[in-house]
Amino acid sequence: QLLLQESGSEVVKPSQTLFLTCGVSGASFNVGGFSWHWIRQAPGKALEWIGYTFYSGGTSYNPSLKSRVTISVDRDRKHFSLRLTSVTAADTAMYYCVREGAGDWAFDSWGQGTLVTVSS
Amino acid sequence: EIVLTQSPGTLSVTPGERATLSCTATQSVSKNYVAWYVHTFGQAPRLLIYGATKRATDVSDRFSGSGSGTDFSLTISSLGPEDSGVYYCQQYGVSPRTFGQGTKVEIK
């Protein structure tokens, strides 16, 4: 069974860079057709899609965040990462790493989430 | 970007009742790639329905999805205390993936 586990910065100062990684275990990371996503939820708000990467390295980002986001994959370490620059208080949120299944499977596996707070 | 609007915002139901949640898209969703998730406090969201009508693995048959094009719905028959939470619809036909704002289901 697939297990996704987020780790990384829990408190980030305004204007600095948020960095999270998502460890992938229990299933093949390199299976074609899957995409690996980051999704967040700010306090009291709805879920917000950040972007995704394929194992091959292709990416797509939410236009509202595109200028500040990089999602990358580390094939040797079996994880993928999120980098968000120039953070503000509006980036305080629970961040989830998620797998989107091939075809019509949707977001079928989620990490437990990690809370990131932007504060000086 | 496809905007999804969910209604109602909050649904308060008696145990054993049936609930229908709606999700309307601003444009037709490609291949009816609409999913439904439930999010309960302290847990990650859980996939219930994908492809508008297909139940995810281990999801109770009390949950059913319907709809196509721009109008979709989730029906939960015979609600129980374990069904309380916030339910989100989501489209994954195109990027950016988008979510509705959620329907909060409360069990009286």
Side-chain angles (χ1 to χ4, degrees):
Chain A
Q1 182 172 342
L2 181 68
L3 181 66
L4 302 173
Q5 181 64 59
E6 303 90 349
S7 61
S9 340
E10 295 179 353
V11 180
V12 185
K13 289 182 167 50
S15 79
Q16 295 195 343
T17 297
L18 176 161
F19 189 77
L20 297 174
T21 62
C22 180
V24 180
S25 61
S28 297
F29 186 32
N30 61 352
V31 173
F34 292 114
S35 53
W36 305 91
H37 297 243
W38 288 96
I39 292 168
R40 69 182 183 179
Q41 185 176 38
K45 298 288 185 67
L47 297 164
E48 179 182 29
W49 177 75
I50 300 170
Y52 70 72
T53 183
F54 285 107
Y55 182 82
S56 62
T59 56
S60 178
Y61 302 129
N62 190 322
S64 67
L65 298 168
K66 188 173 183 178
S67 63
R68 300 193 291 129
V69 171
T70 304
I71 297 175
S72 58
V73 62
D74 185 327
R75 298 174 191 83
D76 291 336
R77 297 182 184 179
K78 291 191 69 174
H79 71 225
F80 62 105
S81 301
L82 168 69
R83 185 170 176 268
L84 182 66
T85 63
S86 304
V87 298
T88 69
D91 295 309
T92 293
M94 184 72 80
Y95 285 77
Y96 297 96
C97 60
V98 185
R99 183 184 78 173
E100 184 179 86
D104 64 351
W105 282 11
F107 293 136
D108 62 348
S109 295
W110 295 66
Q112 276 302 107
T114 188
L115 178 62
V116 178
T117 302
V118 178
S119 174
S120 55
Chain B
E1 153 173 338
I2 296 178
V3 176
L4 301 177
T5 301
Q6 292 186 240
S7 62
T10 302
L11 196 55
S12 186
V13 294
T14 302
E17 272 190 24
R18 175 191 183 100
T20 298
L21 287 61
S22 294
C23 177
T24 301
T26 52
Q27 56 188 279
S28 185
V29 178
S30 174
K31 301 180 184 178
N32 293 323
Y33 275 9
V34 168
W36 291 89
Y37 305 84
V38 60
H39 195 189
T40 52
F41 183 76
Q43 308 255 344
R46 180 169 70 106
L47 176 66
L48 298 172
I49 300 289
Y50 64 97
T53 62
K54 302 174 186 178
R55 268 191 300 276
T57 303
D58 294 332
V59 172
S60 168
D61 59 6
R62 295 185 298 105
F63 292 88
S64 61
S66 62
S68 64
T70 60
D71 294 298
F72 300 88
S73 61
L74 173 72
T75 299
I76 314 169
S77 64
S78 191
L79 276 143
E82 70 277 12
D83 298 322
S84 60
V86 180
Y87 289 76
Y88 292 96
C89 62
Q90 180 241 340
Q91 70 79 23
Y92 55 107
V94 294
S95 286
R97 311 291 195 256
T98 50
F99 291 88
Q101 82 280 19
T103 291
K104 185 177 183 179
V105 173
E106 299 174 337
I107 312 298
K108 292 178 186 173

